[in-house]
Amino acid sequence: SAVISQKPSRDICQRGTSLTIQCQVDSQVTMMFWYRQQPGQSLTLIATANQGSEATYESGFVIDKFPISRPNLTFSTLTVSNMSPEDSSIYLCSVTGQGSGANVLTFGAGSRLTVL
Amino acid sequence: QKEVEQNSGPLSVPEGAIASLNCTYSDRGSQSFFWYRQYSGKSPELIMSIYSNGDKEDGRFTAQLNKASQYVSLLIRDSQPSDSATYLCAFDNFNKFYFGSGTKLNVKP
């Protein structure tokens, strides 16, 4: 399965600032997704990162707050804008692959954000 | 978000026992179902996938799917302390994956 690198792995941010999380995959993948996992909670899908076009956002998530880029088949970024303490969470990049891994979702190690 | 219901637990079982984890989902169009395991502080990892009604076995793990009842379960035989983790049920809806809230499993030595 694909190997996913995320950075930063963790950060402490001030209220009102923005932070960009990077996701790099070691092979070309079909789909890339961004999830959020708030403390003690399950995974919530933020959006699907579409290569060369605007991301597809789930209900409750908007582009102004979570702009996403995907310039090619191996890289994506998620920006958390104008952060508040409620944005403190783990943000996870995930992908579905090619071939036998096409329908399997694999996760990066996550980026733990704390907003003060 | 699509609905996936799980008992949050914690579910406690003694070492060597069978752990039974259950999940119901709301989307009748779902075709693919998954069980993920998440250790504290780690990201989820896939344990099992199941696509058709019935049972699927992989080592100590058995996934069971009943599409008519919109129900999927995971059995862990001969539970080990290393199985202690949160187990997340997920389904695939048009290539998007939705997760339940997870069941925390504690296997006591």
Side-chain angles (χ1 to χ4, degrees):
Chain A
S1 59
V3 176
I4 304 169
S5 301
Q6 267 188 252
K7 59 180 181 181
S9 58
R10 58 178 64 230
D11 207 339
I12 299 173
C13 307
Q14 296 299 316
R15 181 194 299 260
T17 63
S18 299
L19 183 78
T20 296
I21 302 167
Q22 297 181 2
C23 176
Q24 179 71 56
V25 190
D26 69 341
S27 60
Q28 293 186 345
V29 293
T30 308
M31 308 285 284
M32 296 182 77
F33 306 92
W34 287 97
Y35 283 84
R36 180 175 73 182
Q37 188 170 33
Q38 294 178 306
Q41 303 297 313
S42 188
L43 299 160
T44 301
L45 179 62
I46 298 172
T48 304
N50 299 310
Q51 191 262 329
S53 64
E54 190 172 291
T56 304
Y57 290 85
E58 295 295 301
S59 176
F61 297 95
V62 295
I63 188 171
D64 290 346
K65 177 67 176 178
F66 297 101
I68 289 170
S69 76
R70 187 179 176 190
N72 56 52
L73 292 177
T74 64
F75 185 79
S76 178
T77 66
L78 167 73
T79 299
V80 186
S81 302
N82 188 25
M83 286 184 285
S84 66
E86 292 71 34
D87 295 319
S88 297
S89 187
I90 299 172
Y91 293 85
L92 293 145
C93 174
S94 61
V95 305
T96 55
Q98 307 282 358
S100 62
N103 196 36
V104 172
L105 191 67
T106 303
F107 289 89
S111 299
R112 181 184 295 269
L113 267 53
T114 301
V115 184
L116 303 178
Chain B
Q1 299 279 330
K2 304 292 183 180
E3 290 292 325
V4 186
E5 298 289 337
Q6 287 184 260
N7 187 324
S8 62
L11 173 66
S12 292
V13 300
E15 184 175 355
I18 296 175
S20 177
L21 305 165
N22 305 311
C23 173
T24 59
Y25 60 94
S26 62
D27 189 344
R28 287 191 173 274
S30 302
Q31 297 297 317
S32 306
F33 303 87
F34 308 88
W35 283 98
Y36 282 78
R37 177 175 62 198
Q38 186 174 27
Y39 291 112
S40 181
K42 302 294 185 181
S43 56
E45 56 181 345
L46 180 71
I47 300 175
M48 295 277 290
S49 58
I50 185 166
Y51 306 107
S52 55
N53 282 326
D55 295 358
K56 179 181 178 182
E57 186 174 319
D58 184 0
R60 296 187 295 112
F61 299 96
T62 299
Q64 300 173 319
L65 175 62
N66 184 324
K67 290 186 178 181
S69 301
Q70 297 177 249
Y71 176 90
V72 60
S73 65
L74 180 70
L75 299 177
I76 306 174
R77 291 181 298 281
D78 188 23
S79 295
Q80 301 297 309
S82 59
D83 295 326
S84 297
T86 297
Y87 289 80
L88 302 164
C89 169
F91 71 90
D92 171 9
N93 179 266
F94 295 103
N95 293 320
K96 295 183 183 181
F97 294 74
Y98 298 95
F99 287 80
S101 57
T103 299
K104 187 171 184 178
L105 174 66
N106 291 328
V107 181
K108 299 182 177 180

